[in-house]
Amino acid sequence: MRNGSRNGSRNGSRNGWGNGEGGTTVVAILAVPRAYPLDVSIPAYVFGRHPGYRVFVCGDRDPAPALDADGMPSRVDVAADIRPTRSPAALEEADIVVVPGYEDLSVPVPEDQLTALRTAVERGARVLAVCTGVFALAAVGALNGRTATTYWRNIGQLRAGYPEVDVVENRLFVEDGAVITSAGAGSGIDACLHVVQTDFGTTAADGVAKDVVFPAARGPHEPQYTDAPTPPRADLGATREWVRENIGSPVTVQRMADHSLLSRRTLVRRFVSETGMPPMQWVAAQRILAARRLLETSDWSVERVAGAAGFGTASNFRNLFRREVGMTPSAYRKAHGG
């Protein structure tokens, strides 16, 4: 992934994205024709669970029935479930624009909606595409030179139709600068929780996840699917939970293999299949998450947080935290501490 993606995810708070200062972060959901109602309702519900966001839906307020390429009524019509309250022009007020997935990609999105979306991108709004919503972003040139993903069934179509986009497959979501693209509806929840985490901290994202009865936000590197089903009762969920519970202790690949009753080689293979990353890279990410939660919710010293999260020395913790999060532990606590 390009550096723009890494900096976008780490430095969002420092760039003034949704830090709660100077007013509420405005989220506009662009209800394009033939949009999947679930893809509209997910961001509305997730962002609506946090008081730092104000959410509204844009689109044709009295839309004609959506038609497919043959001129027949579409079986998916956003108007059936969620009616927009604002016109597409209202995207100009948004800090975050969400483009839901939609059916029948052969029928173009209306030009006024594409124009509003293009204008929002050009002025620097953050944009989150769920599922096939990525095709609307690609159509306005927002993904040129960027890395993006989409629902696994549409990867080939995106790659063929927009060769200027660096399309990656089997990823829950991809963040490249101010643009996030995600796979299906489930990964749309992960992407929304990731935005909440970036804006308001890990504890806030945990609270929203609990409200919507969803696991804590998964990382962007986790896969959409595995090529081979894991045998019953052979997944590594229990081992990953063991690591979280012992995050302050020394954790090695061998200890994880011993806990899972697998060989090292089998553990590594299954771990990459289930999480999208090698075991120790995943452990490092869990240590960062544990440290973020402690910085947000406790008044512990940096030294104590470093030990509790398994980083060893405070110096090592400060260096790794700044590299991964984009700011020092003290600056993070100041930005997100309760």
Side-chain angles (χ1 to χ4, degrees):
M1 188 179 296
R2 294 179 175 83
N3 290 336
S5 170
R6 294 163 63 89
N7 293 339
S9 62
R10 295 176 184 170
N11 301 343
S13 298
R14 295 191 297 168
N15 289 336
W17 289 350
N19 57 15
E21 299 175 0
T24 301
T25 300
V26 177
V27 179
I29 303 168
L30 180 60
V32 298
R34 307 175 307 283
Y36 297 111
L38 183 59
D39 289 5
V40 179
S41 61
I42 281 174
Y45 189 62
V46 173
F47 289 119
R49 304 308 294 174
H50 193 281
Y53 297 104
R54 179 167 64 89
V55 186
F56 57 79
V57 179
C58 296
D60 296 328
R61 281 180 276 186
D62 294 303
L67 304 178
D68 62 20
D70 298 320
M72 300 298 292
S74 170
R75 60 186 175 86
V76 178
D77 185 354
V78 68
D81 290 279
I82 299 177
R83 290 192 177 276
T85 59
R86 310 285 293 276
S87 72
L91 291 187
E92 66 184 18
E93 304 173 25
D95 302 297
I96 301 172
V97 175
V98 181
V99 185
Y102 55 96
E103 188 185 37
D104 197 351
L105 300 175
S106 65
V107 180
V109 173
E111 188 58 38
D112 65 324
Q113 296 192 12
L114 291 179
T115 298
L117 180 59
R118 183 182 298 108
T119 300
V121 171
E122 290 175 349
R123 67 173 172 78
R126 281 183 291 169
V127 184
L128 190 164
V130 180
C131 192
T132 54
V134 68
F135 285 84
L137 286 183
V140 301
L143 300 178
N144 291 352
R146 293 184 184 271
T147 303
T149 194
T150 189
Y151 180 52
W152 62 272
R153 289 186 184 276
N154 300 106
I155 286 288
Q157 186 177 359
L158 181 63
R159 187 172 283 144
Y162 299 95
E164 62 275 20
V165 180
D166 180 11
V167 181
V168 295
E169 55 188 291
N170 202 17
R171 292 272 289 278
L172 281 182
F173 63 91
V174 169
E175 182 175 29
D176 194 332
V179 178
I180 298 178
T181 52
S182 70
S187 62
I189 300 177
D190 289 294
C192 291
L193 289 173
H194 173 75
V195 173
V196 177
Q197 179 176 279
T198 299
D199 288 353
F200 297 101
T202 302
T203 305
D206 289 345
V208 172
K210 185 176 181 180
D211 275 351
V212 301
V213 196
F214 197 77
R218 295 174 291 177
H221 292 283
E222 295 198 34
Q224 298 178 32
Y225 59 88
T226 56
D227 292 323
T230 302
R233 304 190 183 189
D235 69 88
L236 298 173
T239 297
R240 293 198 299 273
E241 186 59 31
W242 172 79
V243 171
R244 294 188 186 99
E245 293 174 353
N246 296 275
I247 200 67
S249 304
V251 176
T252 64
V253 173
Q254 187 59 56
R255 289 193 68 190
M256 296 168 72
D258 292 343
H259 182 274
S260 61
L261 303 180
L262 298 172
S263 69
R264 286 173 57 99
R265 178 178 297 181
T266 301
L267 171 89
V268 171
R269 184 179 70 251
R270 288 190 182 171
F271 210 98
V272 172
S273 177
E274 290 185 21
T275 69
M277 63 183 74
M280 295 313 296
Q281 183 180 341
W282 181 87
V283 171
Q286 297 308 304
R287 294 194 194 283
I288 291 291
L289 283 174
R292 290 171 70 154
R293 292 185 177 102
L294 289 171
L295 290 169
E296 293 170 18
T297 61
S298 77
D299 59 358
W300 288 6
S301 67
V302 170
E303 288 75 13
R304 187 175 179 184
V305 171
F311 286 98
T313 67
S315 176
N316 183 52
F317 171 50
R318 288 188 178 95
N319 290 335
L320 291 174
F321 192 88
R322 181 162 191 163
R323 187 186 73 189
E324 295 301 317
V325 181
M327 62 180 74
T328 65
S330 297
Y332 184 86
R333 169 173 276 162
K334 183 176 180 181
H336 297 298

